[in-house]
Amino acid sequence: MTSQPPLVVVMGVSGSGKSTVGAALAQRLRVPFADADDFHPPANIAKMSAGEALDDDDRGPWLDAIGAWLHEHREQGGVISCSALKRSYRDRLREHAPDLELLHLHGDRDVIARRQASRPGHFMPASLLDSQFRTLEPLAPDERGLVVDVDQGVDAIVDHYATRTTSTTTPEETA
Ligand SMILES: Nc1ncnc2c1ncn2[C@@H]1O[C@H](COP(=O)(O)OP(=O)(O)OP(=O)(O)O)[C@@H](O)[C@H]1O
Ligand SMILES: O=C(O)[C@H](O)[C@@H](O)[C@H](O)[C@H](O)CO
């Protein structure tokens, strides 16, 4: 375990539970929480709402804003939910906050699609889920993080993170 307060990025495709789990984890760890969805410029939200996936150029400044939040919270700790789908995106976040940890909410497509479908009023259309899965690059062995299966309750996922034995594990659980 690190002696530094936890600085965690809860990552995964749209609908995997990042906002829900991230808020619960922050509460458990007693650190501030932020949702990366709130950092998108209006143009990104408009694009996704229109059913078009973001590209690297759309995500670049957004990732830097999230990185700035992480940097600001490096002493105090914090949890932020952010899709962080590609290795290069996570590298970009680590440029701002080298000590961050990742919690990847891994899930079966059908489970996540069901959850997305039963979530009314969200700007992200279900039609973009396949693009999210195509873009997703799993954590590499050298990335500090943990993978948990989302097909379990939020408390169980939070427990899993909170009771991990090391902060430098490689992905250990996949569905
Ligand atoms: N472990 C869980 N068990 C059951 N339902 C869950 C779980 N995690 C999240 N949900 C539900 O699934 C839906 C999607 O969760 P959430 O909005 O947190 O996902 P997200 O990854 O933040 O999505 P997005 O990136 O699109 O904003 C919500 O309705 C939420 O209540
Ligand atoms: O990288 C991305 O494509 C975006 O971050 C999306 O994942 C959304 O912001 C979010 O998941 C919406 O629900």
Side-chain angles (χ1 to χ4, degrees):
M1 298 277 283
T2 171
S3 56
Q4 287 284 103
L7 191 60
V8 188
V9 176
V10 181
M11 63 167 279
V13 298
S14 171
S16 58
K18 300 181 297 293
S19 306
T20 308
V21 170
L25 180 62
Q27 201 171 18
R28 173 79 66 91
L29 299 175
R30 297 173 194 276
V31 294
F33 170 69
D35 193 328
D37 275 351
D38 297 333
F39 292 65
H40 277 303
N44 282 4
I45 302 283
K47 195 170 177 181
M48 289 186 278
S49 303
E52 220 185 311
L54 301 182
D55 59 26
D56 290 355
D57 289 340
D58 299 319
R59 289 180 178 126
W62 170 71
L63 288 164
D64 285 335
I66 296 158
W69 188 92
L70 286 163
H71 186 77
E72 279 162 23
H73 288 79
R74 66 195 182 286
E75 306 285 346
Q76 181 189 8
V79 176
I80 191 163
S81 59
C82 169
S83 48
L85 298 175
K86 291 187 187 179
R87 167 72 191 243
S88 62
Y89 301 166
R90 301 189 291 271
D91 286 341
R92 192 151 177 166
L93 296 178
R94 280 185 289 256
E95 282 173 23
H96 297 270
D99 293 332
L100 66 83
E101 297 180 328
L102 293 144
L103 175 60
H104 178 194
L105 302 181
H106 170 91
D108 181 78
R109 191 195 174 285
D110 292 343
V111 171
I112 292 177
R114 258 199 312 277
R115 286 183 187 167
Q116 252 196 346
S118 58
R119 178 182 63 169
H122 195 284
F123 65 82
M124 191 72 173
S127 58
L128 282 179
L129 187 56
D130 287 331
S131 148
Q132 292 268 302
F133 271 105
R134 271 195 309 274
T135 307
L136 176 66
E137 295 172 359
L139 289 183
D142 64 321
E143 292 186 86
R144 179 185 298 174
L146 197 66
V147 182
V148 292
D149 187 353
V150 298
D151 201 7
Q152 54 186 324
V154 173
D155 286 347
I157 296 173
V158 169
D159 283 347
H160 194 85
Y161 178 87
T163 59
R164 75 205 188 287
T165 52
T166 170
S167 61
T168 54
T169 48
T170 53
E172 59 181 30
E173 286 193 8
T174 52

